[in-house]
């Protein structure tokens, strides 16, 4: 039961009151880059982003998802076609898809969805250009638990990869991408698998959407999963010259939420240090498995 004890809960309550949704039995589903709450009696999910982090993109994500649903594309559906602004936060409301008793959607489903996404005609509105690692660089400027040496290394590494990104020679071309496509953003819907979390939708080399799944090696995912994804999409991004650049970008990208949360949350601080050390001082012979961000 929600008894507003922290900033995200207070934002949730105020946003729900604005649109007449019941919030008393809200339950936190996830707190990372965005805070995600389930409103059980409304069969609705509320996503809370700050303007500093993803607020502008969160507002746009509603229009993007609505357009995709109208194209009969398997995207999660917004409950409201506009965002709610509460102080420095943006709240969007989405239809809830229960995953109870179901395993995570298979890799092949993500591959098929991305193949379809990359074949769509351009949307009837302007999409922003993808900004690689900007969120991480901004987060590193704020208070966090990393030492000066680690912060300097991450900043230098990010700037190097950004430079490499702008020199990539895309095989698939530049166009509409999801921007954060991985199995964690897929859900079982009423008629199959859906792709959600459109906050990072943008224009970029399409390979950007294909690399994220391969970061699964950090969590012990087997090659069979990667091969299944590749077969479904119909092209193996691992054979492309820019694969390593985008995969290493993804490694750094996943640090962003932990950097932001590290001061307030001991668990986030521990995982941030663990990931940073494994990137800075890799031990290929042993390997260091990362823990989930959820």
């Amino acid at each position: 039961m929600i008894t507003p004890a922290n900033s995200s809960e207070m934002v949730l309550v105020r946003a729900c009151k604005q649109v007449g949704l019941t919030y008393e039995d809200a339950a936190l589903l996830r707190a990372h880059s965005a805070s995600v709450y389930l409103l059980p009696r409304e069969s609705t999910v509320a996503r809370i982003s700050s303007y500093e982090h993803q607020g502008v993109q969160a507002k746009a994500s509603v229009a993007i998802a609505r357009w995709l649903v109208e194209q009969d594309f398997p995207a999660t559906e917004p409950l409201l076609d506009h965002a709610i602004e509460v102080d420095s936060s943006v709240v969007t409301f989405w239809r809830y898809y229960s995953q109870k008793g179901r395993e995570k959607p298979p890799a092949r489903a993500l591959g098929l969805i991305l193949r379809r996404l990359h074949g769509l005609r351009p949307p009837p509105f302007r999409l922003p250009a993808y900004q690689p690692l900007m969120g991480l660089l901004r987060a590193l400027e704020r208070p966090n638990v990393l030492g000066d040496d680690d912060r300097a290394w991450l900043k230098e590494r990010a700037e190097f990869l950004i430079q490499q990104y702008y020199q990539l020679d895309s095989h698939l071309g530049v166009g509409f991408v999801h921007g954060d496509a991985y199995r964690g953003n897929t859900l079982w819907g009423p008629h199959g698998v859906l792709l959600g979390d459109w906050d990072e939708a943008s224009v970029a080399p399409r390979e950007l959407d294909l690399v994220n799944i391969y970061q699964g090696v950090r969590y012990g995912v087997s090659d069979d999963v990667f091969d299944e994804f590749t077969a479904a999409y119909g092209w193996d991004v691992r054979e492309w010259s820019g694969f390593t650049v985008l995969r290493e970008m993804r490694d750094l990208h996943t640090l962003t939420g932990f950097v932001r949360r590290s001061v307030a949350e001991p668990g986030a601080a521990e995982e941030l240090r663990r990931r940073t050390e494994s990137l800075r001082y890799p031990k290929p012979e042993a390997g260091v498995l990362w823990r989930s961000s959820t």
Side-chain angles (χ1 to χ4, degrees):
M1 180 176 180
I2 288 290
T3 53
N6 59 50
S7 58
S8 68
E9 290 184 356
M10 289 188 286
V11 168
L12 176 69
V13 169
R14 289 175 60 186
C16 287
K17 286 181 176 179
Q18 283 191 42
V19 296
L21 293 176
T22 302
Y23 60 84
E24 286 82 2
D25 57 348
L28 181 66
L29 297 179
R30 177 181 171 88
H32 194 51
S33 294
S35 295
V36 182
Y37 289 88
L38 169 63
L39 309 179
R41 277 185 274 179
E42 305 287 356
S43 194
T44 296
V45 168
R47 290 177 53 86
I48 302 174
S49 304
S50 76
Y51 260 115
E52 180 189 0
H53 300 161
Q54 291 178 310
V56 175
Q57 296 97 315
K59 291 177 70 175
S61 72
V62 175
I64 292 166
R66 175 58 62 195
W67 178 77
L68 287 167
V69 170
E70 290 172 352
Q71 311 308 304
D72 198 29
F73 182 88
T76 49
E77 184 175 3
L79 181 75
L80 301 177
D81 286 343
H82 62 280
I84 305 299
E85 299 181 45
V86 178
D87 296 332
S88 61
S89 297
V90 175
V91 185
T92 54
F93 293 96
W94 302 80
R95 181 178 175 187
Y96 172 60
Y97 304 94
S98 175
Q99 306 297 294
K100 187 176 181 179
R102 307 199 73 169
E103 295 183 357
K104 183 186 299 184
R108 66 176 178 275
L110 178 60
L112 291 171
I113 289 174
L114 290 176
R115 180 172 180 172
R116 185 171 171 186
L117 177 70
H118 295 166
L120 287 176
R121 62 183 176 85
F125 41 77
R126 185 176 180 273
L127 291 169
Y130 185 74
Q131 296 185 306
L133 299 177
M134 287 299 104
L136 175 63
L137 291 175
R138 286 194 295 266
L140 289 172
E141 297 298 322
R142 292 300 189 95
N144 60 76
V145 300
L146 293 173
D148 292 342
D149 198 39
D150 279 339
R151 283 201 304 270
W153 181 83
L154 285 172
K155 184 174 183 292
E156 180 180 351
R157 188 62 187 162
E159 290 173 345
F160 171 78
L161 290 171
I162 290 169
Q163 182 182 48
Q164 295 297 302
Y165 170 82
Y166 285 113
Q167 297 176 17
L168 292 175
D169 183 15
S170 174
H171 174 79
L172 298 175
V174 173
F176 179 18
V177 299
H178 179 276
D180 192 24
Y182 73 111
R183 289 177 69 197
N185 278 333
T186 57
L187 296 167
W188 291 103
H191 307 294
V193 179
L194 306 173
L195 182 58
D197 190 356
W198 294 91
D199 287 1
E200 296 188 47
S202 52
V203 173
R206 293 185 176 93
E207 290 89 352
L208 184 76
D209 278 345
L210 305 184
V211 168
N212 296 345
I213 192 171
Y214 296 101
Q215 197 208 22
V217 297
R218 298 283 186 189
Y219 308 95
V221 176
S222 71
D223 286 343
D224 290 344
V225 172
F226 305 144
D227 293 341
E228 176 185 315
F229 171 81
T230 296
Y233 187 83
W235 182 69
D236 193 340
V237 71
R238 292 170 290 186
E239 298 176 356
W240 174 59
S241 61
F243 173 73
T244 301
V245 170
L246 293 186
R247 185 186 60 190
E248 292 184 5
M249 275 178 45
R250 182 65 181 182
D251 282 341
L252 293 191
H253 177 87
T254 65
L255 301 183
T256 307
F258 292 104
V259 174
R260 292 172 181 153
R261 296 161 49 212
S262 62
V263 173
E265 300 178 34
E270 178 185 359
E271 185 63 12
L272 173 61
R273 293 189 181 103
R274 175 187 183 84
R275 294 188 182 197
T276 301
E277 181 178 359
S278 70
L279 291 172
R280 192 174 181 189
Y281 307 107
K283 299 176 181 179
E285 70 283 358
V288 176
L289 292 183
W290 292 0
R291 300 188 179 103
S292 170
S293 61
T294 57

